[in-house]
Amino acid sequence: MSHEQRRGWGRGRGRGGRGRGFSSHGESECPGGGRGKPPPHLKGREIGLWYARRQGQTCKDKERMERAVVRMDESREEHITRLLNAVQTTNNNAKRTPDDDSWWSMDNDRDSPSPPPRQTAVKPKASVEQLSKSICQEKQNDTISDLDQQLKQELLKKRTDFRYLEMQRFREKLPSYSMKEEIMEVINSSQVTVISGETGCGKTTQVTQFILDDWITKNKGSTCNIVCTQPRRISAISVAERVAAERAELCGRGNSTGYQIRLESQLPRKQGSILYCTTGIVLQWLQSDQNLDNISHLVIDEIHERNLQSDVLMAIVKDLLLRRDLKVILMSATLNAEKFSQYFNGCPMLHIPGFTYPVKEYLLEDIMEMLRYFPKDTDKRPKWKRRFMQGRIDRPEKEEKEALYVEHWPEFVRRLQGRYSASTIEALELVDDEKVDLELIVELIRHIVLKGEDGAILVFLPGWDNISTLHDLLMAQVMFKSDRFIIIPLHSLMPTVNQTQVFKRPPPGVRKIVIATNIAETSITIDDVVHVIDGGKIKETHYDTQNNISTMTAEWVSHANAKQRKGRAGRVQPGYCYHLYNSLRDSLLNDYQLPEIVRTPLEELCLQIKILKLGGIAAFLIKLMDPPSREAIRLAISHLMELNALDRREELTPLGVHLARLPVEPHIGKMILFGALFCCLDPVLTIAGSLSFKDPFIIPLGKEKIADARRKELSKNTKSDHLTVLNAFLGWEEAKWHGARMERDYCWENFLSSNTLKMLSNMKEQFAEHLLGAGFVSSRNPKDPKSNINSGNEKLIKAVICAGLYPKVAKIRPSFSKKRQMVKVYTKSDGKVSIHPKSVNVEEGEFHYSWLVYHLKMKTTSIYLYDCTEVSPYSLLFFGGEISINKDKDQDTIAVDEWIVFQSPARIAHLVKDLKSELDTLLEEKIRNPQPVDWNETKTRDCAVLSAIIDLITTQESDVTKNFAPRFQKNY
Ligand code: CDP
Ligand code: MG
């Protein structure tokens, strides 16, 4: 049985658009279902079946009545009929060539020259790829020895520079420094080396310098080009700056050390250098430099994090080892070095013993005993038992763990008896360990503050909700309101101003309390922490291949996380770490978090594998250290085939090639291409940027309600989160034009991150550069008027969003609750879902159309659509899936992928279908042979077909309110 059927949103029921007006009742109610009694000869179960059939029948009838109608006025119908006749006649008479647009010209008066063929498309100026290659340029043989000499002289001179010497004194104290010779010996004598060591022992900053200085000293500095990959942008920059400072140099600018991250770089000199970059940058180089010929040492850092890109890079590098002169150094913070060494055929491992002060650890039973804590919850049934009995656990490996937990519980209690009070043992039973007990944390903080040593307290919590609630709980206590406390929430979406405060040591007598996500585990180091409270949970995404949905839930930490958290307490003096889980749970924690590759959808990666020519998709993926499941691979490939990015032989289609080259996931790539083809480039690039990076809104502590209201205002009744981001961006651009102060005020008033907006602006330029390179547009400026002829057309922008996001479609149905006028939302595969509280549509009671498209759907406490935009029937018909024309009883219908059904006279339905197929042909040609659409030449076939479609989309009336006037305004 398919999931779809299980959830009761099978085709029969899912068909049909909601009717005009929200006055009729909803689908599930279908009350009464008509009068009449079952025939008297029916007995028992048969009577039940009779009622069920009749009920179903009535629902279908209702749906039939409610379907939105696809209309076309007479003059449009006539125009499109003529257009299609002309297209089809010409199709029959003329053999079309891809470059030939003039064939459409019926009266042959087209005199403008054809657009330049693809090959002569304007070449972009130095692209990111070219920049990246600049460090890998051909070595100039004749100058090498001179250069080697020069590099050596420079290094010797440095050793008399007092800034260098001062730094040297710091470096010498690092644990890695005393192992310098040993490290170099292993690296020089083997092709691959694994180095592990505690955070802060000097792997990232020192090992690269040991290598460079070793080669320079040996007179081969000019052939040494070290590249060190980092999982995060911020660490690539900060580490490069740190190393440059240790070498008494400026970062980049042709010196020895620099960095490169997407859209930003400070490049070092071309020879004899260290470059820190994000892992994605190296993957991008591989597109044009398959052997990484100009890198002498590739250092892959933080491999223990097991993020998707470093796992992929390791698999690629394994094959690159045929290049015998390439050295690979793998660096990991914790001790699973054996696994990596085994993956590289038992290569040598080195461990750098680090120094941290001892940290005393407490588990939940110790904490409860110490505080004499008893949960306030009055329900006397152990929560974990209830959960387990109810079968509410969704992943097999989790279920196994819970079964073990239940099995060992009695033995665990026996072990505690005598050592802990009866009250603590009872409390342990009653604790709801599905949630982090914030009341307990408040008690614990009070205890530390009143009885513990001085020093900052760092609390690890899984997400923003917890952070904000704990903050409120603390602030509700008189004690914490005084200026003897600085309480700082730390989350990646917080404004950066708050984040710098984190690093400052408070004045004596003032206690710093930082409440953070796992961002404080490795990314951000707070030196003065003495007490760590480990909530024991971490937000983790998983990909449920059976239901094709991503989930994000707070899961138990792994031993590796717990160890890392503990380590944060012992940086400056002996510390204390409180873990909010008991010793039984501790014994069941995973050693490491599951690698990202087995927790995420694989579409983008599959395209990357093809563009990097790494062979068959599955054949490559099974070479990974922990290969993803066959089902996940199969799903990704089939999604890419549906998207027409891969053909039946799993080769890239022309569309696939473009999508693989764009540095975004395939659906967003498709949106970008459509934005270019339909000449609404600038707004679509803003939306694509925010979907692939993040939206610019920040979460202001305690002002969530005002921020929600501001977002709603910015939505300007577009019923679209995507257009809300666009409006925010346009407002920011305008404010910026008026000066820095206006910009600051605008961001402040609307709770926007100016950094994210800047990043989006840079990303847009990068996308435009790609489009220019591929030939889709004629300028690298996203705002070029020629690319933005239709940028003021809100309905068209929504349609282009639909083109990108399809088939992520949800159906809107009215709710009849008297209290709340919120709609109900359904997807084909999940049945009823919810709109996320942060979406501008969450409390929307009235939509113009009955369908939404969304980008992120995630299961947390329920299945949420995080962002959505309402879309019109014509958008779905032209930019959705396959069209079919049917008759449902006496009703003519037109349906998209047989699921999204509208009423439509057969005549109109055929017209729409033919026009859509004409659009598909046109798009295919454009993708095969990219050229900007010439909108001045109204007589070209392209322009005629596209204009007809845009006209239909733009003039389509609302299903609900007639003459809806677009509120979106922007002059291009
Ligand atoms: O890579 P690993 O965690 O082993 O250490 P690292 O990043 O090389 O850092 C070694 C030391 O350099 C740290 O303990 C810090 O004291 C210092 N460091 C710094 O001051 N600023 C940075 N951006 C990075 C490191
Ligand atoms: Mg490091």
Side-chain angles (χ1 to χ4, degrees), residues 273 315 401:
S273 64
K401 284 271 151 91

Side-chain angles (χ1 to χ4, degrees), residues 170 174 198-206 238-239 242 571:
F170 168 87
L174 290 171
E198 298 296 332
T199 304
C201 74
K203 298 179 296 300
T204 312
T205 52
Q206 305 307 309
S238 73
V239 164
R242 172 74 194 177
R571 290 185 65 79

Side-chain angles (χ1 to χ4, degrees), residues 167 170-171 174-176 196-207 230 234-235 237-243 246 276 301-302 331-333 352 522 525 527 564 568 571:
M167 282 293 190
F170 168 87
R171 295 177 61 196
L174 290 171
S176 61
S196 65
E198 298 296 332
T199 304
C201 74
K203 298 179 296 300
T204 312
T205 52
Q206 305 307 309
V207 173
Q230 295 295 308
I234 183 77
S235 47
I237 300 178
S238 73
V239 164
E241 281 171 351
R242 172 74 194 177
V243 171
E246 287 185 5
Y276 289 95
D301 203 359
E302 315 277 13
M331 301 206 295
S332 145
I352 306 173
T522 47
T525 301
D527 268 332
Q564 196 67 37
R568 306 291 88 194
R571 290 185 65 79

Side-chain angles (χ1 to χ4, degrees), residues 40-82:
H41 66 272
L42 295 184
K43 297 237 157 48
R45 219 170 92 81
E46 288 168 345
I47 298 178
L49 287 173
W50 184 88
Y51 275 112
R53 245 191 326 269
R54 196 189 57 176
Q55 173 86 351
Q57 203 53 47
T58 319
C59 283
K60 277 188 190 157
D61 287 345
K62 279 278 163 214
E63 257 184 43
R64 208 171 288 124
M65 301 298 295
E66 288 177 351
R67 273 174 197 148
V69 186
V70 175
R71 289 190 191 75
M72 204 182 281
D73 64 30
E74 256 174 53
S75 66
R76 288 200 169 81
E77 191 183 331
E78 209 174 291
H79 170 74
I80 290 168
T81 313
R82 257 193 293 123

Side-chain angles (χ1 to χ4, degrees), residues 87-156:
V87 169
Q88 278 146 14
T89 318
T90 327
N91 266 346
N92 293 338
N93 294 344
K95 186 100 189 112
R96 291 157 60 180
T97 60
D99 282 340
D100 184 6
D101 264 4
S102 60
W103 65 274
W104 167 248
S105 183
M106 286 188 295
D107 46 5
N108 287 327
D109 66 350
R110 189 173 183 269
D111 52 10
S112 75
S114 309
R118 165 81 184 88
Q119 293 87 315
T120 57
V122 197
K123 279 261 177 294
K125 73 166 189 239
S127 68
V128 176
E129 283 142 44
Q130 283 165 326
L131 273 178
S132 68
K133 271 201 269 173
S134 72
I135 65 143
C136 310
Q137 279 180 0
E138 289 292 308
K139 298 180 182 102
Q140 294 155 2
N141 285 331
D142 48 347
T143 60
I144 279 183
S145 54
D146 284 352
L147 185 56
D148 287 332
Q149 285 294 325
Q150 193 190 322
L151 290 174
K152 193 166 175 176
Q153 289 307 318
E154 236 179 64
L155 184 63
L156 289 174

